[in-house]
Amino acid sequence: MEQEMQKKVMLSGIQPSGDLHLGNYLGAIKNWGARAEEFDCYYFMADMHTITVRQNPADLRRRTLEQLATYIACGLDPEKNTLFIQSHIPAHAELGWVLNCYTMFGELSRMTQFKDKSAKHADNINGGLFTYPALMAADILLYQPDYVPVGNDQKQHVELTRNVAQRFNNIYGDVFKIPEPYIPKTGARIMSLNDPSSKMSKSIPDGCVFLMEKPEDIQRKFKRAITDSDTERCVRFDPENKPGVSNLMSIYAAVTGKTMEEIEAEFDGQGYGAFKPAVGEAVIECLRPIREEAQRLLADKAYLESVYRAGAEKASYVANKTLRKVYKKVGFVAR
Ligand code: TYM
């Protein structure tokens, strides 16, 4: 117990707004795994964030459970990690409101994700889409984490969280721990296979490899991956001049653990024709056990329910402790 109390805390979440993809895995989940001995870990399904964009309710419910099954299949043992569904913990919405009042309009206006999503969903630029980072700050600060393992695109939101926490602490004393973003060295920004200038995302499905996809579909996507139109056609890491090949190399490095030099040596003189299917094969082999285990877990709804219930109980306890402190500091009468 004593040791449990001294462990550093790690927390992260993913929106179940689409099927999980290789970017989510390499940028985030892979970096969460196998850390439970070292850290007190909280990972959640950020379902409340998804409704900033219209969702089909049945799909959202299905994907939330699939995401939980995939977390477990990726090696997050529910006995050692707290796995929960965001909307099961009312404290997220409650602290989210408070933090809205400590987050500036100017700060929110600068968020890249807001600018991207409002361009993509011009008919639904709602208040939630705009104030989303304040809810994300609440997601994080409720658990007083030391580290937030995310891909590169979420760094800006974690930085905003730090600023909001600092602002709050400057007024009320040490309420929140100031968390650090924890970004992987390889895989922090996986690009689309058919457009290496856009990040891999579910919105470009042809360039996106989903974790539950069939091996033959994955291989087809890799074989069709855009490589570069340069004349040398050799496998060399040069993100500026060879973004397509460099992206494939980052994927290969992240799934095999090889360095860029090792990869260059392995494919020396072979050209892209041999390289692309090799990356596909490595990804398929990396994802195969995850897909099989997730499918097995999905057949056992009672087990998944027991996991998210236990997760909610543990998460609520920690979250409510922080919320009580915040409510007291701002001057709300105790319940
Ligand atoms: P989301 O759901 O868009 O993405 C989940 C995680 O996957 C990473 N990621 C990528 N990494 C590398 N390459 C890519 N192409 C790629 N695409 C996605 C993201 O960086 C992220 O780590 N706002 C968050 C969810 C969230 C959250 C939180 C995260 C809500 N509350 C609290 C951490 C802590 C989001 O929209 O991520």
Coordinates of all heavy atoms in Angstrom, one line a residue, residues 33-92:
G33 N 1.4 0.6 -22.6 CA 1.4 -0.8 -22.2 C 2.6 -1.1 -21.2 O 3.6 -0.4 -21.2
A34 N 2.4 -2.2 -20.5 CA 3.4 -2.7 -19.6 C 4.1 -1.7 -18.7 O 5.3 -1.7 -18.5 CB 4.5 -3.4 -20.5
R35 N 3.3 -0.7 -18.2 CA 3.9 0.3 -17.3 C 3.3 0.2 -15.9 O 3.6 1.0 -15.1 CB 3.7 1.7 -17.9 CG 4.2 1.8 -19.2 CD 4.5 3.3 -19.6 NE 5.2 3.3 -20.8 CZ 6.5 3.4 -21.0 NH1 7.2 3.7 -20.0 NH2 7.0 3.4 -22.2
A36 N 2.4 -0.8 -15.8 CA 1.6 -0.8 -14.6 C 2.4 -1.1 -13.3 O 2.1 -0.8 -12.2 CB 0.5 -1.8 -14.7
E37 N 3.6 -1.8 -13.5 CA 4.4 -2.1 -12.4 C 5.1 -0.7 -11.9 O 5.3 -0.6 -10.7 CB 5.6 -3.0 -12.7 CG 5.2 -4.3 -13.4 CD 4.2 -5.2 -12.6 OE1 4.2 -5.0 -11.4 OE2 3.4 -5.9 -13.2
E38 N 5.3 0.1 -12.8 CA 6.0 1.4 -12.5 C 5.1 2.5 -12.1 O 5.4 3.4 -11.3 CB 6.7 1.7 -13.8 CG 8.1 2.3 -13.7 CD 8.5 2.6 -15.2 OE1 8.2 1.8 -16.1 OE2 9.1 3.6 -15.4
F39 N 3.9 2.5 -12.7 CA 3.0 3.7 -12.6 C 1.6 3.2 -12.1 O 1.2 2.1 -12.4 CB 2.8 4.4 -13.9 CG 4.0 5.1 -14.5 CD1 4.8 4.4 -15.4 CD2 4.4 6.3 -14.0 CE1 6.0 5.0 -15.9 CE2 5.6 6.9 -14.5 CZ 6.3 6.3 -15.5
D40 N 0.9 4.1 -11.5 CA -0.5 3.9 -11.3 C -1.3 4.4 -12.5 O -1.2 5.6 -12.8 CB -0.9 4.8 -10.0 CG -2.2 4.4 -9.4 OD1 -2.8 3.4 -9.9 OD2 -2.6 5.1 -8.5
C41 N -1.9 3.5 -13.3 CA -2.3 3.9 -14.6 C -3.8 4.0 -14.8 O -4.6 3.1 -14.4 CB -1.8 2.9 -15.7 SG 0.0 2.8 -15.7
Y42 N -4.3 5.1 -15.4 CA -5.7 5.3 -15.7 C -5.9 5.5 -17.2 O -5.3 6.4 -17.8 CB -6.2 6.5 -15.0 CG -6.2 6.4 -13.5 CD1 -5.0 6.7 -12.8 CD2 -7.3 6.1 -12.8 CE1 -4.9 6.6 -11.5 CE2 -7.2 6.0 -11.4 CZ -6.0 6.2 -10.7 OH -6.0 6.1 -9.4
Y43 N -6.7 4.6 -17.8 CA -7.0 4.8 -19.3 C -8.5 4.7 -19.5 O -9.1 3.8 -18.9 CB -6.3 3.7 -20.1 CG -4.8 3.7 -19.9 CD1 -4.1 2.7 -19.3 CD2 -4.0 4.9 -20.2 CE1 -2.7 2.7 -19.1 CE2 -2.7 4.9 -20.0 CZ -2.0 3.9 -19.4 OH -0.7 3.9 -19.2
F44 N -9.0 5.6 -20.3 CA -10.4 5.7 -20.4 C -10.9 5.9 -21.9 O -10.1 6.2 -22.8 CB -11.0 6.8 -19.5 CG -10.6 8.2 -19.9 CD1 -11.4 9.0 -20.6 CD2 -9.3 8.7 -19.5 CE1 -11.0 10.3 -21.0 CE2 -8.9 10.0 -19.9 CZ -9.8 10.8 -20.6
M45 N -12.2 5.6 -22.1 CA -12.8 5.8 -23.3 C -13.5 7.2 -23.2 O -14.4 7.4 -22.4 CB -13.9 4.8 -23.6 CG -13.5 3.4 -24.0 SD -12.3 2.6 -23.1 CE -13.1 2.0 -21.7
A46 N -13.0 8.1 -24.1 CA -13.4 9.5 -23.9 C -14.8 9.7 -24.7 O -14.8 10.4 -25.7 CB -12.4 10.5 -24.5
D47 N -15.8 9.1 -24.2 CA -17.1 9.1 -25.0 C -17.7 10.5 -25.0 O -18.4 10.9 -25.9 CB -18.1 8.0 -24.5 CG -18.4 8.1 -23.0 OD1 -17.6 8.8 -22.3 OD2 -19.3 7.4 -22.6
M48 N -17.5 11.2 -23.9 CA -18.2 12.6 -23.8 C -17.6 13.5 -24.9 O -18.3 14.4 -25.4 CB -18.0 13.2 -22.4 CG -18.8 12.4 -21.4 SD -18.3 12.8 -19.7 CE -18.9 14.5 -19.6
H49 N -16.4 13.3 -25.2 CA -15.7 14.2 -26.2 C -16.3 13.9 -27.6 O -16.3 14.8 -28.5 CB -14.2 14.0 -26.3 CG -13.5 14.6 -25.1 ND1 -13.1 15.9 -25.2 CD2 -13.2 14.1 -23.9 CE1 -12.5 16.2 -24.0 NE2 -12.6 15.1 -23.2
T50 N -16.8 12.7 -27.8 CA -17.2 12.3 -29.2 C -18.4 13.1 -29.7 O -18.6 13.3 -30.9 CB -17.5 10.8 -29.4 OG1 -18.7 10.5 -28.6 CG2 -16.4 9.9 -28.9
I51 N -19.3 13.5 -28.7 CA -20.5 14.1 -29.2 C -20.4 15.6 -29.6 O -21.3 16.2 -29.9 CB -21.7 13.9 -28.1 CG1 -21.4 14.6 -26.8 CG2 -22.0 12.4 -28.0 CD1 -22.6 14.7 -25.9
T52 N -19.1 16.1 -29.5 CA -18.9 17.4 -30.1 C -19.1 17.3 -31.6 O -19.2 18.3 -32.3 CB -17.4 17.9 -29.8 OG1 -16.5 16.8 -30.3 CG2 -17.2 18.1 -28.4
V53 N -19.1 16.1 -32.2 CA -19.4 15.8 -33.6 C -20.6 14.8 -33.5 O -20.6 14.0 -32.6 CB -18.2 15.2 -34.3 CG1 -18.5 14.7 -35.7 CG2 -17.1 16.2 -34.3
R54 N -21.6 14.9 -34.4 CA -22.7 14.0 -34.3 C -22.3 12.6 -34.4 O -21.5 12.2 -35.3 CB -23.7 14.3 -35.5 CG -24.4 15.6 -35.4 CD -25.6 15.6 -34.4 NE -26.0 17.0 -34.3 CZ -25.7 17.9 -33.4 NH1 -24.9 17.5 -32.4 NH2 -26.1 19.1 -33.4
Q55 N -22.9 11.7 -33.5 CA -22.5 10.3 -33.5 C -23.8 9.5 -33.7 O -24.9 9.9 -33.2 CB -21.9 9.9 -32.2 CG -20.6 10.6 -31.9 CD -19.5 10.2 -32.8 OE1 -19.4 9.1 -33.2 NE2 -18.6 11.2 -33.0
N56 N -23.7 8.3 -34.3 CA -24.8 7.4 -34.3 C -24.8 6.7 -32.9 O -23.8 6.1 -32.6 CB -24.6 6.4 -35.4 CG -25.6 5.3 -35.4 OD1 -25.8 4.6 -34.4 ND2 -26.3 5.1 -36.5
P57 N -25.9 6.8 -32.1 CA -25.8 6.3 -30.7 C -25.4 4.8 -30.6 O -24.6 4.4 -29.8 CB -27.2 6.5 -30.2 CG -27.8 7.5 -31.1 CD -27.2 7.4 -32.4
A58 N -26.0 3.9 -31.5 CA -25.7 2.5 -31.4 C -24.2 2.2 -31.7 O -23.6 1.4 -31.1 CB -26.6 1.7 -32.3
D59 N -23.7 3.0 -32.7 CA -22.3 2.8 -33.1 C -21.4 3.3 -31.9 O -20.4 2.6 -31.7 CB -21.9 3.6 -34.3 CG -22.5 3.0 -35.6 OD1 -23.0 1.8 -35.5 OD2 -22.6 3.7 -36.6
L60 N -21.8 4.3 -31.3 CA -20.9 4.9 -30.2 C -20.9 3.9 -29.1 O -19.8 3.6 -28.6 CB -21.5 6.2 -29.7 CG -20.8 6.9 -28.5 CD1 -19.3 7.1 -28.9 CD2 -21.4 8.2 -28.2
R61 N -22.0 3.3 -28.7 CA -22.0 2.3 -27.6 C -21.1 1.1 -28.0 O -20.3 0.6 -27.2 CB -23.4 1.8 -27.4 CG -24.0 2.3 -26.1 CD -25.4 1.6 -25.8 NE -26.4 2.1 -26.7 CZ -27.1 3.2 -26.6 NH1 -26.9 4.0 -25.6 NH2 -28.0 3.6 -27.5
R62 N -21.3 0.6 -29.3 CA -20.5 -0.6 -29.7 C -19.0 -0.3 -29.7 O -18.2 -1.0 -29.2 CB -21.0 -0.9 -31.2 CG -20.1 -2.0 -31.8 CD -20.6 -2.3 -33.3 NE -20.6 -1.2 -34.1 CZ -19.5 -0.6 -34.7 NH1 -18.3 -1.1 -34.4 NH2 -19.6 0.5 -35.5
R63 N -18.7 0.9 -30.2 CA -17.2 1.2 -30.3 C -16.6 1.4 -29.0 O -15.4 1.2 -28.8 CB -17.0 2.5 -31.2 CG -17.1 2.2 -32.7 CD -16.6 3.3 -33.5 NE -17.2 4.5 -33.1 CZ -18.1 5.1 -33.9 NH1 -18.5 4.6 -35.0 NH2 -18.7 6.3 -33.4
T64 N -17.4 1.9 -28.0 CA -16.9 2.2 -26.7 C -16.5 0.8 -26.1 O -15.4 0.7 -25.5 CB -17.9 2.9 -25.8 OG1 -18.3 4.1 -26.4 CG2 -17.4 3.2 -24.4
L65 N -17.3 -0.2 -26.2 CA -17.0 -1.5 -25.7 C -15.8 -2.2 -26.5 O -14.9 -2.8 -25.9 CB -18.2 -2.5 -25.7 CG -19.3 -2.1 -24.7 CD1 -20.4 -3.1 -24.7 CD2 -18.7 -2.0 -23.3
E66 N -15.8 -2.0 -27.8 CA -14.7 -2.5 -28.6 C -13.4 -1.9 -28.2 O -12.4 -2.6 -28.2 CB -15.0 -2.2 -30.1 CG -16.0 -3.2 -30.8 CD -16.3 -2.8 -32.2 OE1 -15.6 -1.9 -32.8 OE2 -17.2 -3.5 -32.7
Q67 N -13.5 -0.6 -27.9 CA -12.2 0.1 -27.5 C -11.7 -0.5 -26.2 O -10.5 -0.8 -26.0 CB -12.5 1.6 -27.3 CG -11.3 2.4 -27.3 CD -11.5 3.9 -27.4 OE1 -12.2 4.3 -28.4 NE2 -11.1 4.6 -26.5
L68 N -12.7 -0.8 -25.3 CA -12.3 -1.4 -24.0 C -11.6 -2.8 -24.2 O -10.5 -3.1 -23.7 CB -13.5 -1.5 -23.1 CG -13.2 -2.3 -21.8 CD1 -12.2 -1.6 -20.9 CD2 -14.5 -2.4 -20.9
A69 N -12.3 -3.6 -25.1 CA -11.7 -4.9 -25.4 C -10.3 -4.8 -26.0 O -9.4 -5.5 -25.7 CB -12.7 -5.6 -26.3
T70 N -10.2 -3.7 -26.9 CA -8.9 -3.6 -27.5 C -7.8 -3.1 -26.5 O -6.7 -3.5 -26.6 CB -9.0 -2.6 -28.7 OG1 -10.1 -3.0 -29.5 CG2 -7.7 -2.6 -29.6
Y71 N -8.2 -2.2 -25.6 CA -7.2 -1.8 -24.6 C -6.7 -3.1 -23.9 O -5.5 -3.2 -23.7 CB -7.9 -1.0 -23.5 CG -8.1 0.5 -23.8 CD1 -7.9 1.1 -25.1 CD2 -8.6 1.4 -22.8 CE1 -8.1 2.4 -25.3 CE2 -8.9 2.7 -23.1 CZ -8.6 3.2 -24.3 OH -8.8 4.6 -24.6
I72 N -7.6 -3.9 -23.5 CA -7.2 -5.1 -22.7 C -6.3 -6.0 -23.7 O -5.3 -6.5 -23.2 CB -8.4 -5.9 -22.2 CG1 -9.2 -5.0 -21.3 CG2 -7.9 -7.2 -21.4 CD1 -10.6 -5.6 -20.9
A73 N -6.8 -6.2 -24.9 CA -6.0 -7.0 -25.9 C -4.6 -6.5 -26.1 O -3.7 -7.2 -26.5 CB -6.8 -7.2 -27.2
C74 N -4.5 -5.1 -26.0 CA -3.1 -4.5 -26.2 C -2.2 -4.7 -25.0 O -1.1 -4.2 -25.0 CB -3.3 -3.1 -26.5 SG -3.9 -2.7 -28.2
G75 N -2.7 -5.4 -24.0 CA -1.9 -5.7 -22.8 C -2.2 -4.9 -21.6 O -1.4 -5.0 -20.6
L76 N -3.3 -4.1 -21.6 CA -3.6 -3.4 -20.4 C -4.4 -4.3 -19.5 O -5.6 -4.4 -19.7 CB -4.3 -2.1 -20.7 CG -3.6 -1.1 -21.7 CD1 -4.5 0.1 -22.0 CD2 -2.3 -0.6 -21.0
D77 N -3.8 -4.9 -18.5 CA -4.4 -5.8 -17.6 C -5.3 -5.0 -16.7 O -4.9 -4.2 -15.9 CB -3.3 -6.6 -16.8 CG -3.9 -7.5 -15.8 OD1 -5.1 -7.5 -15.6 OD2 -3.1 -8.3 -15.2
P78 N -6.7 -5.3 -16.7 CA -7.6 -4.5 -15.9 C -7.3 -4.7 -14.4 O -7.8 -3.9 -13.6 CB -9.0 -5.1 -16.2 CG -8.8 -6.0 -17.3 CD -7.3 -6.3 -17.5
E79 N -6.6 -5.7 -14.0 CA -6.3 -5.9 -12.6 C -5.2 -4.9 -12.2 O -5.1 -4.6 -11.0 CB -5.7 -7.3 -12.3 CG -6.7 -8.4 -12.6 CD -7.8 -8.5 -11.7 OE1 -7.6 -8.2 -10.5 OE2 -9.0 -8.9 -12.1
K80 N -4.4 -4.4 -13.2 CA -3.3 -3.6 -12.8 C -3.5 -2.1 -13.3 O -2.7 -1.2 -13.0 CB -2.0 -4.1 -13.4 CG -1.7 -5.5 -12.9 CD -0.4 -6.0 -13.4 CE 0.0 -7.3 -12.9 NZ 0.9 -8.1 -13.8
N81 N -4.4 -1.9 -14.2 CA -4.7 -0.6 -14.8 C -6.2 -0.3 -14.6 O -7.0 -1.2 -14.6 CB -4.5 -0.6 -16.3 CG -3.1 -1.0 -16.7 OD1 -2.2 -0.1 -16.9 ND2 -2.8 -2.3 -16.9
T82 N -6.4 1.0 -14.3 CA -7.9 1.4 -14.1 C -8.4 1.8 -15.5 O -8.0 2.8 -16.0 CB -7.9 2.5 -13.1 OG1 -7.3 2.1 -11.9 CG2 -9.4 2.9 -12.8
L83 N -9.3 0.9 -16.0 CA -9.9 1.2 -17.3 C -11.4 1.6 -17.1 O -12.1 0.9 -16.4 CB -9.8 -0.1 -18.1 CG -8.5 -0.8 -18.2 CD1 -8.5 -2.0 -19.1 CD2 -7.4 0.2 -18.8
F84 N -11.7 2.8 -17.6 CA -13.1 3.2 -17.4 C -13.7 4.0 -18.5 O -13.0 4.4 -19.4 CB -13.1 4.0 -16.0 CG -12.4 5.3 -16.1 CD1 -13.0 6.5 -16.3 CD2 -11.0 5.3 -15.8 CE1 -12.3 7.7 -16.4 CE2 -10.3 6.5 -15.8 CZ -11.0 7.7 -16.1
I85 N -15.0 4.3 -18.4 CA -15.7 5.0 -19.4 C -15.9 6.4 -18.9 O -16.5 6.6 -17.8 CB -17.0 4.3 -19.8 CG1 -16.8 2.9 -20.4 CG2 -17.9 5.2 -20.8 CD1 -18.0 2.1 -20.6
Q86 N -15.5 7.4 -19.6 CA -15.5 8.8 -19.1 C -16.9 9.2 -18.6 O -17.0 9.8 -17.5 CB -15.1 9.7 -20.3 CG -15.0 11.2 -19.9 CD -14.9 12.0 -21.2 OE1 -15.3 11.6 -22.3 NE2 -14.2 13.2 -21.1
S87 N -18.0 8.9 -19.3 CA -19.3 9.4 -18.9 C -19.8 8.7 -17.6 O -20.8 9.1 -17.1 CB -20.3 9.2 -20.0 OG -20.4 7.8 -20.3
H88 N -19.1 7.7 -17.2 CA -19.5 7.0 -15.9 C -19.1 7.8 -14.7 O -19.4 7.4 -13.6 CB -19.0 5.6 -15.8 CG -19.6 4.7 -16.8 ND1 -19.4 3.3 -16.9 CD2 -20.6 4.9 -17.8 CE1 -20.1 2.8 -17.9 NE2 -20.9 3.7 -18.4
I89 N -18.2 8.8 -14.9 CA -17.7 9.5 -13.8 C -18.2 11.0 -13.9 O -17.5 11.8 -14.6 CB -16.1 9.5 -13.8 CG1 -15.5 8.2 -14.2 CG2 -15.5 10.0 -12.5 CD1 -15.6 7.1 -13.2
P90 N -19.2 11.3 -13.2 CA -19.8 12.7 -13.3 C -18.8 13.8 -13.0 O -18.9 14.9 -13.5 CB -20.9 12.7 -12.3 CG -21.3 11.3 -12.1 CD -20.0 10.5 -12.3
A91 N -17.8 13.5 -12.2 CA -16.8 14.5 -11.9 C -16.1 15.1 -13.1 O -15.6 16.3 -13.1 CB -15.7 13.9 -11.0
H92 N -16.0 14.4 -14.2 CA -15.4 15.0 -15.4 C -16.2 16.2 -15.9 O -15.6 17.2 -16.2 CB -15.3 13.9 -16.6 CG -14.3 12.9 -16.3 ND1 -13.2 12.7 -17.1 CD2 -14.2 11.9 -15.4 CE1 -12.4 11.7 -16.6 NE2 -13.1 11.2 -15.6

